[in-house]
Amino acid sequence: MTQEQTDVLIIGAGPAGAVAAGLLRKQGRQVLILEREQFPRFSIGESLLPQSMEFIEAAGMLQAVVEAGFQYKNGAAFACGEQHTQFDFRDKYSPGWGTTYQVQRARFDQVLAMQAARMGAEVRYRHEVLAVDVTGQRPRVEVRDQDGHTHGISANFLLDASGFGRVLPRLLDLEYPSAFPQRSALFTHVQDNIPAGSGFDRDKILITVHPQHCDVWYWTIPFSDGRCSQGVVARPEFLAQYPGCDTQRLRALVGEAPGLRRLLKESAWDTPARSITGYSANVKSLWGKGFALLGNAGEFLDPVFSSGVTIAFKSASLAANCLQRQAQGAPVDWESDYARPLQAGVNTFRVFVESWYAGGFQKVIFHAKSSPEIRRMIASILAGYVWDTGNPYVAEPRRRLSVLEQLCCG
Ligand code: FAD
């Protein structure tokens, strides 16, 4: 078997892999990305958070993203029966970007990967990593190329950005069960035909709560081309009550939420729905000798606050910083310099996700008399600023949120 060598080897050209590549290229590192698919390819995860813009900018990819013409996004709207509320991310507590985009991921991921290549990263599509060995001096992977040939590549450092492929967690026995119960999502893209005068704000994601089941919720993510991503999330046993194909089940569920049904009444359901189950995942460790896990290859919580891509970018940024310091000869402790800082923000999201499904956070956001200052702090969290410990809801998320829930439920 032929043996090749590189500096930093990245598995996966999704958001985590591409942004890591951009940041490392700016440091002058040699970067090789192995990507199983041919881009563009479909991926779920279409609503970005403003915090993600900071990482896109730092990776040298802002201009490419801006010029791609994605749907502008400035906030999140929530609906449940007759209750409505919205958060404008430009009016938030933390400093930084207040706007972002809603993106067709096939195109977004291609834009980022092409930009990484323009910056000098080598991206090999239709190259699947099959095996890995981290016991030697340097990590080594076995890869199968588009012609079915396998060969070995060793690297100074290995970043696993394989997302739901979870290459290293699977191969190195790092899988650890998520504390969240299993949930499923049904989703599709529709030609939405939502009339301009309907009051629907295309600049915001709309999250609709099922009128009878507070743990069942829908996303409506408008794109810039008159189409929307429409999805629903529920426990698998709940979805199992609905007969038919995924499209029929999704349409039946949309029919149960009167506001959403009205909004989508002229929509053309022209694309078969897909489903995904059991996406929440965790790992025993986010790093090991010669490797680190980025984005969804590490922990994935839940889609409700659209946090996945932002967390993927943050992981890329922290890992690139560690590699830079390591290259400069500075001591790097991947637990305290990478895993813990990443998990700090993930844990903030975790508190809000748990509260969402328990119903408490829903009471908080729909509460009629909440203070503008507290809403600005909540807007910061929803905008992805979960690493800004200047925000009291980041510094002490569990205690603060539970006090707020009691005030709003009282
Ligand atoms: P990915 O985007 O999964 O990229 C991984 C890449 O690795 C892929 O291109 C894959 O082909 C490649 N790969 C896999 N295995 C191999 C292999 N063996 N060899 C080589 N390459 C390989 N996030 C948001 O930010 N906003 C949202 O609105 C949102 N909605 C979501 C809705 C649902 C229902 C779900 C389940 C998730 C949602 N997410 C959302 C999360 C989002 O999808 C992920 O967090 C994000 O895509 C993670 O990026 P990544 O780069 O880590 O992995």
Side-chain angles (χ1 to χ4, degrees), residues 11-12 14-16 34-37 41 44-47 105 127-129 161-164 167 185 219 279 295-296 300 303 306 308-309:
I11 309 174
L34 301 174
E35 166 56 54
R36 185 179 57 191
E37 308 292 328
R41 54 92 182 91
I44 195 65
E46 297 147 325
S47 194
R105 281 287 301 277
H127 279 64
E128 181 176 10
V129 172
S162 63
F164 294 116
V167 172
W219 76 73
Y279 35 74
N296 270 30
F300 179 66
S306 306
V309 171

PDB file of all heavy atoms in Angstrom, residues 11-12 14-16 34-37 41 44-47 105 127-129 161-164 167 185 219 279 295-296 300 303 306 308-309, ligand 1:
ATOM      1  N   ILE A  11     -10.728  15.151   8.229  1.00  0.00           N
ATOM      2  CA  ILE A  11     -11.730  14.229   7.678  1.00  0.00           C
ATOM      3  C   ILE A  11     -13.046  14.996   7.578  1.00  0.00           C
ATOM      4  O   ILE A  11     -13.626  15.388   8.591  1.00  0.00           O
ATOM      5  CB  ILE A  11     -11.927  12.993   8.575  1.00  0.00           C
ATOM      6  CG1 ILE A  11     -10.588  12.340   8.922  1.00  0.00           C
ATOM      7  CG2 ILE A  11     -12.871  11.999   7.901  1.00  0.00           C
ATOM      8  CD1 ILE A  11     -10.701  11.196   9.934  1.00  0.00           C
ATOM      9  N   GLY A  12     -13.524  15.249   6.351  1.00  0.00           N
ATOM     10  CA  GLY A  12     -14.816  15.917   6.154  1.00  0.00           C
ATOM     11  C   GLY A  12     -14.663  17.376   5.785  1.00  0.00           C
ATOM     12  O   GLY A  12     -13.943  18.124   6.447  1.00  0.00           O
ATOM     13  N   GLY A  14     -17.314  19.533   5.597  1.00  0.00           N
ATOM     14  CA  GLY A  14     -18.478  20.292   6.051  1.00  0.00           C
ATOM     15  C   GLY A  14     -18.018  21.588   6.716  1.00  0.00           C
ATOM     16  O   GLY A  14     -16.842  21.969   6.606  1.00  0.00           O
ATOM     17  N   PRO A  15     -18.923  22.280   7.409  1.00  0.00           N
ATOM     18  CA  PRO A  15     -18.562  23.573   8.012  1.00  0.00           C
ATOM     19  C   PRO A  15     -17.344  23.508   8.941  1.00  0.00           C
ATOM     20  O   PRO A  15     -16.463  24.373   8.869  1.00  0.00           O
ATOM     21  CB  PRO A  15     -19.818  23.952   8.795  1.00  0.00           C
ATOM     22  CG  PRO A  15     -20.927  23.246   8.092  1.00  0.00           C
ATOM     23  CD  PRO A  15     -20.353  21.963   7.577  1.00  0.00           C
ATOM     24  N   ALA A  16     -17.275  22.494   9.796  1.00  0.00           N
ATOM     25  CA  ALA A  16     -16.148  22.415  10.738  1.00  0.00           C
ATOM     26  C   ALA A  16     -14.839  22.222   9.984  1.00  0.00           C
ATOM     27  O   ALA A  16     -13.838  22.913  10.248  1.00  0.00           O
ATOM     28  CB  ALA A  16     -16.362  21.268  11.731  1.00  0.00           C
ATOM     29  N   LEU A  34     -10.050  15.193   3.345  1.00  0.00           N
ATOM     30  CA  LEU A  34     -10.618  14.021   2.663  1.00  0.00           C
ATOM     31  C   LEU A  34     -12.123  14.055   2.871  1.00  0.00           C
ATOM     32  O   LEU A  34     -12.596  14.065   4.021  1.00  0.00           O
ATOM     33  CB  LEU A  34     -10.039  12.739   3.255  1.00  0.00           C
ATOM     34  CG  LEU A  34      -8.513  12.612   3.164  1.00  0.00           C
ATOM     35  CD1 LEU A  34      -8.042  11.371   3.925  1.00  0.00           C
ATOM     36  CD2 LEU A  34      -8.050  12.564   1.706  1.00  0.00           C
ATOM     37  N   GLU A  35     -12.886  14.120   1.790  1.00  0.00           N
ATOM     38  CA  GLU A  35     -14.342  14.228   1.875  1.00  0.00           C
ATOM     39  C   GLU A  35     -14.979  13.069   1.117  1.00  0.00           C
ATOM     40  O   GLU A  35     -14.698  12.855  -0.060  1.00  0.00           O
ATOM     41  CB  GLU A  35     -14.796  15.582   1.296  1.00  0.00           C
ATOM     42  CG  GLU A  35     -16.280  15.715   1.007  1.00  0.00           C
ATOM     43  CD  GLU A  35     -17.192  15.436   2.215  1.00  0.00           C
ATOM     44  OE1 GLU A  35     -17.012  16.061   3.270  1.00  0.00           O
ATOM     45  OE2 GLU A  35     -18.081  14.570   2.077  1.00  0.00           O
ATOM     46  N   ARG A  36     -15.864  12.360   1.816  1.00  0.00           N
ATOM     47  CA  ARG A  36     -16.477  11.146   1.258  1.00  0.00           C
ATOM     48  C   ARG A  36     -17.363  11.418   0.033  1.00  0.00           C
ATOM     49  O   ARG A  36     -17.423  10.642  -0.894  1.00  0.00           O
ATOM     50  CB  ARG A  36     -17.316  10.498   2.367  1.00  0.00           C
ATOM     51  CG  ARG A  36     -17.924   9.179   2.027  1.00  0.00           C
ATOM     52  CD  ARG A  36     -18.710   8.647   3.213  1.00  0.00           C
ATOM     53  NE  ARG A  36     -19.742   9.588   3.634  1.00  0.00           N
ATOM     54  CZ  ARG A  36     -20.433   9.468   4.759  1.00  0.00           C
ATOM     55  NH1 ARG A  36     -20.207   8.484   5.580  1.00  0.00           N
ATOM     56  NH2 ARG A  36     -21.363  10.351   5.077  1.00  0.00           N
ATOM     57  N   GLU A  37     -18.081  12.551   0.064  1.00  0.00           N
ATOM     58  CA  GLU A  37     -19.062  12.843  -0.981  1.00  0.00           C
ATOM     59  C   GLU A  37     -18.460  13.721  -2.069  1.00  0.00           C
ATOM     60  O   GLU A  37     -17.396  14.316  -1.888  1.00  0.00           O
ATOM     61  CB  GLU A  37     -20.267  13.583  -0.386  1.00  0.00           C
ATOM     62  CG  GLU A  37     -20.896  12.917   0.811  1.00  0.00           C
ATOM     63  CD  GLU A  37     -21.585  11.613   0.467  1.00  0.00           C
ATOM     64  OE1 GLU A  37     -22.103  11.491  -0.665  1.00  0.00           O
ATOM     65  OE2 GLU A  37     -21.592  10.705   1.327  1.00  0.00           O
ATOM     66  N   ARG A  41     -23.649  18.542  -2.069  1.00  0.00           N
ATOM     67  CA  ARG A  41     -24.458  17.430  -1.566  1.00  0.00           C
ATOM     68  C   ARG A  41     -25.399  17.998  -0.487  1.00  0.00           C
ATOM     69  O   ARG A  41     -25.087  18.945   0.196  1.00  0.00           O
ATOM     70  CB  ARG A  41     -23.592  16.299  -1.006  1.00  0.00           C
ATOM     71  CG  ARG A  41     -22.576  16.711   0.071  1.00  0.00           C
ATOM     72  CD  ARG A  41     -23.103  16.587   1.465  1.00  0.00           C
ATOM     73  NE  ARG A  41     -22.176  17.011   2.506  1.00  0.00           N
ATOM     74  CZ  ARG A  41     -22.122  18.240   2.984  1.00  0.00           C
ATOM     75  NH1 ARG A  41     -22.899  19.200   2.515  1.00  0.00           N
ATOM     76  NH2 ARG A  41     -21.290  18.547   3.971  1.00  0.00           N
ATOM     77  N   ILE A  44     -28.479  18.818   6.284  1.00  0.00           N
ATOM     78  CA  ILE A  44     -29.454  19.539   7.099  1.00  0.00           C
ATOM     79  C   ILE A  44     -28.690  20.497   8.018  1.00  0.00           C
ATOM     80  O   ILE A  44     -27.522  20.271   8.313  1.00  0.00           O
ATOM     81  CB  ILE A  44     -30.340  18.528   7.892  1.00  0.00           C
ATOM     82  CG1 ILE A  44     -31.577  19.199   8.464  1.00  0.00           C
ATOM     83  CG2 ILE A  44     -29.544  17.818   8.965  1.00  0.00           C
ATOM     84  CD1 ILE A  44     -32.543  19.703   7.443  1.00  0.00           C
ATOM     85  N   GLY A  45     -29.385  21.572   8.445  1.00  0.00           N
ATOM     86  CA  GLY A  45     -28.733  22.543   9.339  1.00  0.00           C
ATOM     87  C   GLY A  45     -28.591  23.883   8.658  1.00  0.00           C
ATOM     88  O   GLY A  45     -27.479  24.373   8.421  1.00  0.00           O
ATOM     89  N   GLU A  46     -29.743  24.517   8.352  1.00  0.00           N
ATOM     90  CA  GLU A  46     -29.753  25.605   7.369  1.00  0.00           C
ATOM     91  C   GLU A  46     -29.844  27.013   7.940  1.00  0.00           C
ATOM     92  O   GLU A  46     -29.710  27.979   7.216  1.00  0.00           O
ATOM     93  CB  GLU A  46     -30.935  25.359   6.415  1.00  0.00           C
ATOM     94  CG  GLU A  46     -30.755  24.047   5.647  1.00  0.00           C
ATOM     95  CD  GLU A  46     -32.051  23.330   5.326  1.00  0.00           C
ATOM     96  OE1 GLU A  46     -32.988  23.396   6.150  1.00  0.00           O
ATOM     97  OE2 GLU A  46     -32.118  22.711   4.265  1.00  0.00           O
ATOM     98  N   SER A  47     -30.125  27.111   9.237  1.00  0.00           N
ATOM     99  CA  SER A  47     -30.278  28.442   9.826  1.00  0.00           C
ATOM    100  C   SER A  47     -29.037  28.740  10.663  1.00  0.00           C
ATOM    101  O   SER A  47     -28.769  28.047  11.649  1.00  0.00           O
ATOM    102  CB  SER A  47     -31.547  28.463  10.689  1.00  0.00           C
ATOM    103  OG  SER A  47     -31.890  29.780  11.003  1.00  0.00           O
ATOM    104  N   ARG A 105     -27.702  24.232   2.469  1.00  0.00           N
ATOM    105  CA  ARG A 105     -26.395  23.723   2.890  1.00  0.00           C
ATOM    106  C   ARG A 105     -25.583  23.133   1.741  1.00  0.00           C
ATOM    107  O   ARG A 105     -24.349  23.160   1.785  1.00  0.00           O
ATOM    108  CB  ARG A 105     -26.591  22.706   4.015  1.00  0.00           C
ATOM    109  CG  ARG A 105     -26.837  23.346   5.374  1.00  0.00           C
ATOM    110  CD  ARG A 105     -25.578  23.971   5.942  1.00  0.00           C
ATOM    111  NE  ARG A 105     -24.544  22.985   6.081  1.00  0.00           N
ATOM    112  CZ  ARG A 105     -24.427  22.158   7.112  1.00  0.00           C
ATOM    113  NH1 ARG A 105     -25.270  22.238   8.113  1.00  0.00           N
ATOM    114  NH2 ARG A 105     -23.449  21.270   7.161  1.00  0.00           N
ATOM    115  N   HIS A 127     -13.387  10.711  -1.354  1.00  0.00           N
ATOM    116  CA  HIS A 127     -12.326  10.007  -0.634  1.00  0.00           C
ATOM    117  C   HIS A 127     -12.848   9.693   0.769  1.00  0.00           C
ATOM    118  O   HIS A 127     -13.067  10.615   1.566  1.00  0.00           O
ATOM    119  CB  HIS A 127     -11.062  10.867  -0.534  1.00  0.00           C
ATOM    120  CG  HIS A 127     -10.230  10.836  -1.784  1.00  0.00           C
ATOM    121  ND1 HIS A 127     -10.681  11.317  -2.983  1.00  0.00           N
ATOM    122  CD2 HIS A 127      -8.975  10.361  -1.999  1.00  0.00           C
ATOM    123  CE1 HIS A 127      -9.731  11.151  -3.902  1.00  0.00           C
ATOM    124  NE2 HIS A 127      -8.693  10.572  -3.338  1.00  0.00           N
ATOM    125  N   GLU A 128     -13.073   8.429   1.036  1.00  0.00           N
ATOM    126  CA  GLU A 128     -13.677   8.035   2.309  1.00  0.00           C
ATOM    127  C   GLU A 128     -12.634   7.443   3.253  1.00  0.00           C
ATOM    128  O   GLU A 128     -11.912   6.506   2.874  1.00  0.00           O
ATOM    129  CB  GLU A 128     -14.787   7.003   2.049  1.00  0.00           C
ATOM    130  CG  GLU A 128     -15.467   6.565   3.340  1.00  0.00           C
ATOM    131  CD  GLU A 128     -16.620   5.621   3.107  1.00  0.00           C
ATOM    132  OE1 GLU A 128     -16.789   5.136   1.964  1.00  0.00           O
ATOM    133  OE2 GLU A 128     -17.352   5.364   4.080  1.00  0.00           O
ATOM    134  N   VAL A 129     -12.582   7.969   4.457  1.00  0.00           N
ATOM    135  CA  VAL A 129     -11.672   7.405   5.462  1.00  0.00           C
ATOM    136  C   VAL A 129     -12.303   6.138   6.026  1.00  0.00           C
ATOM    137  O   VAL A 129     -13.440   6.153   6.514  1.00  0.00           O
ATOM    138  CB  VAL A 129     -11.381   8.434   6.578  1.00  0.00           C
ATOM    139  CG1 VAL A 129     -10.593   7.779   7.711  1.00  0.00           C
ATOM    140  CG2 VAL A 129     -10.618   9.621   6.015  1.00  0.00           C
ATOM    141  N   ALA A 161     -13.608  15.979  11.323  1.00  0.00           N
ATOM    142  CA  ALA A 161     -14.753  16.869  11.101  1.00  0.00           C
ATOM    143  C   ALA A 161     -15.788  16.114  10.266  1.00  0.00           C
ATOM    144  O   ALA A 161     -16.416  16.672   9.382  1.00  0.00           O
ATOM    145  CB  ALA A 161     -14.300  18.150  10.401  1.00  0.00           C
ATOM    146  N   SER A 162     -15.960  14.823  10.575  1.00  0.00           N
ATOM    147  CA  SER A 162     -16.819  13.964   9.748  1.00  0.00           C
ATOM    148  C   SER A 162     -18.284  14.035  10.132  1.00  0.00           C
ATOM    149  O   SER A 162     -19.104  13.296   9.595  1.00  0.00           O
ATOM    150  CB  SER A 162     -16.338  12.507   9.830  1.00  0.00           C
ATOM    151  OG  SER A 162     -16.451  12.026  11.152  1.00  0.00           O
ATOM    152  N   GLY A 163     -18.665  14.916  11.051  1.00  0.00           N
ATOM    153  CA  GLY A 163     -20.069  15.146  11.364  1.00  0.00           C
ATOM    154  C   GLY A 163     -20.774  13.878  11.788  1.00  0.00           C
ATOM    155  O   GLY A 163     -20.274  13.100  12.615  1.00  0.00           O
ATOM    156  N   PHE A 164     -21.984  13.676  11.202  1.00  0.00           N
ATOM    157  CA  PHE A 164     -22.767  12.489  11.572  1.00  0.00           C
ATOM    158  C   PHE A 164     -22.064  11.196  11.136  1.00  0.00           C
ATOM    159  O   PHE A 164     -22.463  10.111  11.547  1.00  0.00           O
ATOM    160  CB  PHE A 164     -24.174  12.570  10.968  1.00  0.00           C
ATOM    161  CG  PHE A 164     -25.002  13.701  11.530  1.00  0.00           C
ATOM    162  CD1 PHE A 164     -25.426  14.756  10.726  1.00  0.00           C
ATOM    163  CD2 PHE A 164     -25.363  13.710  12.866  1.00  0.00           C
ATOM    164  CE1 PHE A 164     -26.184  15.792  11.247  1.00  0.00           C
ATOM    165  CE2 PHE A 164     -26.117  14.741  13.397  1.00  0.00           C
ATOM    166  CZ  PHE A 164     -26.537  15.799  12.585  1.00  0.00           C
ATOM    167  N   VAL A 167     -16.433   9.421  12.368  1.00  0.00           N
ATOM    168  CA  VAL A 167     -15.403   8.440  12.010  1.00  0.00           C
ATOM    169  C   VAL A 167     -14.569   8.015  13.232  1.00  0.00           C
ATOM    170  O   VAL A 167     -14.498   6.829  13.561  1.00  0.00           O
ATOM    171  CB  VAL A 167     -14.495   9.003  10.883  1.00  0.00           C
ATOM    172  CG1 VAL A 167     -13.316   8.075  10.640  1.00  0.00           C
ATOM    173  CG2 VAL A 167     -15.299   9.176   9.599  1.00  0.00           C
ATOM    174  N   ALA A 185     -36.584  13.866  13.148  1.00  0.00           N
ATOM    175  CA  ALA A 185     -37.017  15.033  12.370  1.00  0.00           C
ATOM    176  C   ALA A 185     -37.488  14.563  10.999  1.00  0.00           C
ATOM    177  O   ALA A 185     -36.894  13.657  10.403  1.00  0.00           O
ATOM    178  CB  ALA A 185     -35.863  16.017  12.217  1.00  0.00           C
ATOM    179  N   TRP A 219     -39.838  23.772  12.358  1.00  0.00           N
ATOM    180  CA  TRP A 219     -39.046  24.919  11.884  1.00  0.00           C
ATOM    181  C   TRP A 219     -39.533  25.323  10.497  1.00  0.00           C
ATOM    182  O   TRP A 219     -39.947  24.467   9.717  1.00  0.00           O
ATOM    183  CB  TRP A 219     -37.553  24.612  11.874  1.00  0.00           C
ATOM    184  CG  TRP A 219     -37.033  23.735  10.759  1.00  0.00           C
ATOM    185  CD1 TRP A 219     -36.870  24.077   9.441  1.00  0.00           C
ATOM    186  CD2 TRP A 219     -36.583  22.372  10.872  1.00  0.00           C
ATOM    187  NE1 TRP A 219     -36.347  23.016   8.735  1.00  0.00           N
ATOM    188  CE2 TRP A 219     -36.161  21.952   9.585  1.00  0.00           C
ATOM    189  CE3 TRP A 219     -36.480  21.471  11.932  1.00  0.00           C
ATOM    190  CZ2 TRP A 219     -35.665  20.679   9.325  1.00  0.00           C
ATOM    191  CZ3 TRP A 219     -35.976  20.189  11.667  1.00  0.00           C
ATOM    192  CH2 TRP A 219     -35.576  19.817  10.395  1.00  0.00           C
ATOM    193  N   TYR A 279     -30.166  11.720  16.303  1.00  0.00           N
ATOM    194  CA  TYR A 279     -28.994  12.512  15.899  1.00  0.00           C
ATOM    195  C   TYR A 279     -28.191  13.030  17.096  1.00  0.00           C
ATOM    196  O   TYR A 279     -27.041  13.393  16.948  1.00  0.00           O
ATOM    197  CB  TYR A 279     -29.425  13.690  15.005  1.00  0.00           C
ATOM    198  CG  TYR A 279     -30.763  14.267  15.392  1.00  0.00           C
ATOM    199  CD1 TYR A 279     -30.899  15.047  16.523  1.00  0.00           C
ATOM    200  CD2 TYR A 279     -31.896  13.996  14.642  1.00  0.00           C
ATOM    201  CE1 TYR A 279     -32.124  15.548  16.892  1.00  0.00           C
ATOM    202  CE2 TYR A 279     -33.134  14.497  15.004  1.00  0.00           C
ATOM    203  CZ  TYR A 279     -33.249  15.276  16.144  1.00  0.00           C
ATOM    204  OH  TYR A 279     -34.461  15.756  16.511  1.00  0.00           O
ATOM    205  N   GLY A 295     -16.924  19.769  15.706  1.00  0.00           N
ATOM    206  CA  GLY A 295     -18.338  19.815  15.326  1.00  0.00           C
ATOM    207  C   GLY A 295     -19.109  18.582  15.739  1.00  0.00           C
ATOM    208  O   GLY A 295     -18.961  18.068  16.851  1.00  0.00           O
ATOM    209  N   ASN A 296     -19.934  18.098  14.819  1.00  0.00           N
ATOM    210  CA  ASN A 296     -20.804  16.963  15.121  1.00  0.00           C
ATOM    211  C   ASN A 296     -20.055  15.658  15.334  1.00  0.00           C
ATOM    212  O   ASN A 296     -20.658  14.694  15.786  1.00  0.00           O
ATOM    213  CB  ASN A 296     -21.791  16.739  13.970  1.00  0.00           C
ATOM    214  CG  ASN A 296     -23.058  17.520  14.157  1.00  0.00           C
ATOM    215  OD1 ASN A 296     -23.034  18.581  14.767  1.00  0.00           O
ATOM    216  ND2 ASN A 296     -24.148  17.017  13.640  1.00  0.00           N
ATOM    217  N   PHE A 300     -23.321  16.412  19.603  1.00  0.00           N
ATOM    218  CA  PHE A 300     -24.429  17.160  19.004  1.00  0.00           C
ATOM    219  C   PHE A 300     -25.619  17.098  19.950  1.00  0.00           C
ATOM    220  O   PHE A 300     -26.054  16.027  20.350  1.00  0.00           O
ATOM    221  CB  PHE A 300     -24.826  16.625  17.623  1.00  0.00           C
ATOM    222  CG  PHE A 300     -25.978  17.409  17.039  1.00  0.00           C
ATOM    223  CD1 PHE A 300     -25.805  18.747  16.692  1.00  0.00           C
ATOM    224  CD2 PHE A 300     -27.230  16.846  16.895  1.00  0.00           C
ATOM    225  CE1 PHE A 300     -26.872  19.498  16.195  1.00  0.00           C
ATOM    226  CE2 PHE A 300     -28.301  17.594  16.393  1.00  0.00           C
ATOM    227  CZ  PHE A 300     -28.116  18.922  16.039  1.00  0.00           C
ATOM    228  N   PRO A 303     -31.452  20.242  17.465  1.00  0.00           N
ATOM    229  CA  PRO A 303     -31.535  21.326  16.473  1.00  0.00           C
ATOM    230  C   PRO A 303     -32.322  22.562  16.904  1.00  0.00           C
ATOM    231  O   PRO A 303     -32.311  23.557  16.181  1.00  0.00           O
ATOM    232  CB  PRO A 303     -32.245  20.657  15.281  1.00  0.00           C
ATOM    233  CG  PRO A 303     -32.884  19.431  15.796  1.00  0.00           C
ATOM    234  CD  PRO A 303     -32.191  19.040  17.065  1.00  0.00           C
ATOM    235  N   SER A 306     -30.740  25.986  16.534  1.00  0.00           N
ATOM    236  CA  SER A 306     -29.877  26.157  15.350  1.00  0.00           C
ATOM    237  C   SER A 306     -28.413  26.367  15.742  1.00  0.00           C
ATOM    238  O   SER A 306     -27.710  27.200  15.160  1.00  0.00           O
ATOM    239  CB  SER A 306     -30.342  27.357  14.510  1.00  0.00           C
ATOM    240  OG  SER A 306     -31.689  27.248  14.179  1.00  0.00           O
ATOM    241  N   GLY A 308     -25.880  24.048  15.810  1.00  0.00           N
ATOM    242  CA  GLY A 308     -24.894  23.062  15.357  1.00  0.00           C
ATOM    243  C   GLY A 308     -23.722  23.644  14.584  1.00  0.00           C
ATOM    244  O   GLY A 308     -22.559  23.344  14.876  1.00  0.00           O
ATOM    245  N   VAL A 309     -24.015  24.475  13.582  1.00  0.00           N
ATOM    246  CA  VAL A 309     -22.930  25.006  12.743  1.00  0.00           C
ATOM    247  C   VAL A 309     -22.062  25.965  13.562  1.00  0.00           C
ATOM    248  O   VAL A 309     -20.825  25.965  13.436  1.00  0.00           O
ATOM    249  CB  VAL A 309     -23.500  25.677  11.472  1.00  0.00           C
ATOM    250  CG1 VAL A 309     -22.415  26.420  10.723  1.00  0.00           C
ATOM    251  CG2 VAL A 309     -24.159  24.628  10.571  1.00  0.00           C
TER     252      VAL A 309
HETATM  253  P1  FAD B   1     -21.217  17.828   8.664  1.00  0.00           P
HETATM  254  O1  FAD B   1     -21.917  19.032   8.208  1.00  0.00           O
HETATM  255  O2  FAD B   1     -22.043  16.592   8.895  1.00  0.00           O
HETATM  256  O3  FAD B   1     -20.032  17.502   7.673  1.00  0.00           O
HETATM  257  C1  FAD B   1     -19.293  16.308   7.784  1.00  0.00           C
HETATM  258  C2  FAD B   1     -18.670  15.933   6.450  1.00  0.00           C
HETATM  259  O4  FAD B   1     -17.848  14.780   6.649  1.00  0.00           O
HETATM  260  C3  FAD B   1     -19.709  15.536   5.411  1.00  0.00           C
HETATM  261  O5  FAD B   1     -19.525  16.283   4.222  1.00  0.00           O
HETATM  262  C4  FAD B   1     -19.482  14.040   5.199  1.00  0.00           C
HETATM  263  O6  FAD B   1     -19.727  13.630   3.858  1.00  0.00           O
HETATM  264  C5  FAD B   1     -18.010  13.897   5.567  1.00  0.00           C
HETATM  265  N1  FAD B   1     -17.683  12.523   5.995  1.00  0.00           N
HETATM  266  C6  FAD B   1     -18.409  11.713   6.810  1.00  0.00           C
HETATM  267  N2  FAD B   1     -17.786  10.525   6.947  1.00  0.00           N
HETATM  268  C7  FAD B   1     -16.637  10.586   6.220  1.00  0.00           C
HETATM  269  C8  FAD B   1     -15.582   9.664   5.966  1.00  0.00           C
HETATM  270  N3  FAD B   1     -15.578   8.426   6.475  1.00  0.00           N
HETATM  271  N4  FAD B   1     -14.547  10.067   5.169  1.00  0.00           N
HETATM  272  C9  FAD B   1     -14.532  11.309   4.630  1.00  0.00           C
HETATM  273  N5  FAD B   1     -15.527  12.215   4.824  1.00  0.00           N
HETATM  274  C10 FAD B   1     -16.561  11.866   5.623  1.00  0.00           C
HETATM  275  N6  FAD B   1     -27.344  23.423  12.721  1.00  0.00           N
HETATM  276  C11 FAD B   1     -27.466  24.746  12.554  1.00  0.00           C
HETATM  277  O7  FAD B   1     -26.482  25.463  12.759  1.00  0.00           O
HETATM  278  N7  FAD B   1     -28.639  25.312  12.152  1.00  0.00           N
HETATM  279  C12 FAD B   1     -29.763  24.567  11.941  1.00  0.00           C
HETATM  280  O8  FAD B   1     -30.808  25.108  11.572  1.00  0.00           O
HETATM  281  C13 FAD B   1     -29.681  23.164  12.167  1.00  0.00           C
HETATM  282  N8  FAD B   1     -30.751  22.364  11.964  1.00  0.00           N
HETATM  283  C14 FAD B   1     -30.629  21.010  12.152  1.00  0.00           C
HETATM  284  C15 FAD B   1     -31.745  20.187  11.998  1.00  0.00           C
HETATM  285  C16 FAD B   1     -31.647  18.826  12.240  1.00  0.00           C
HETATM  286  C17 FAD B   1     -32.862  17.948  12.108  1.00  0.00           C
HETATM  287  C18 FAD B   1     -30.405  18.263  12.606  1.00  0.00           C
HETATM  288  C19 FAD B   1     -30.268  16.796  12.874  1.00  0.00           C
HETATM  289  C20 FAD B   1     -29.282  19.067  12.750  1.00  0.00           C
HETATM  290  C21 FAD B   1     -29.392  20.443  12.528  1.00  0.00           C
HETATM  291  N9  FAD B   1     -28.286  21.276  12.679  1.00  0.00           N
HETATM  292  C22 FAD B   1     -28.421  22.626  12.540  1.00  0.00           C
HETATM  293  C23 FAD B   1     -26.960  20.736  13.015  1.00  0.00           C
HETATM  294  C24 FAD B   1     -26.042  20.696  11.794  1.00  0.00           C
HETATM  295  O9  FAD B   1     -26.593  19.843  10.828  1.00  0.00           O
HETATM  296  C25 FAD B   1     -24.672  20.178  12.211  1.00  0.00           C
HETATM  297  O10 FAD B   1     -24.347  20.627  13.493  1.00  0.00           O
HETATM  298  C26 FAD B   1     -23.553  20.639  11.259  1.00  0.00           C
HETATM  299  O11 FAD B   1     -23.801  20.222   9.948  1.00  0.00           O
HETATM  300  C27 FAD B   1     -22.216  20.076  11.759  1.00  0.00           C
HETATM  301  O12 FAD B   1     -21.188  20.388  10.864  1.00  0.00           O
HETATM  302  P2  FAD B   1     -19.912  19.440  10.761  1.00  0.00           P
HETATM  303  O13 FAD B   1     -18.973  20.135   9.856  1.00  0.00           O
HETATM  304  O14 FAD B   1     -19.480  19.042  12.108  1.00  0.00           O
HETATM  305  O15 FAD B   1     -20.457  18.089  10.080  1.00  0.00           O
END
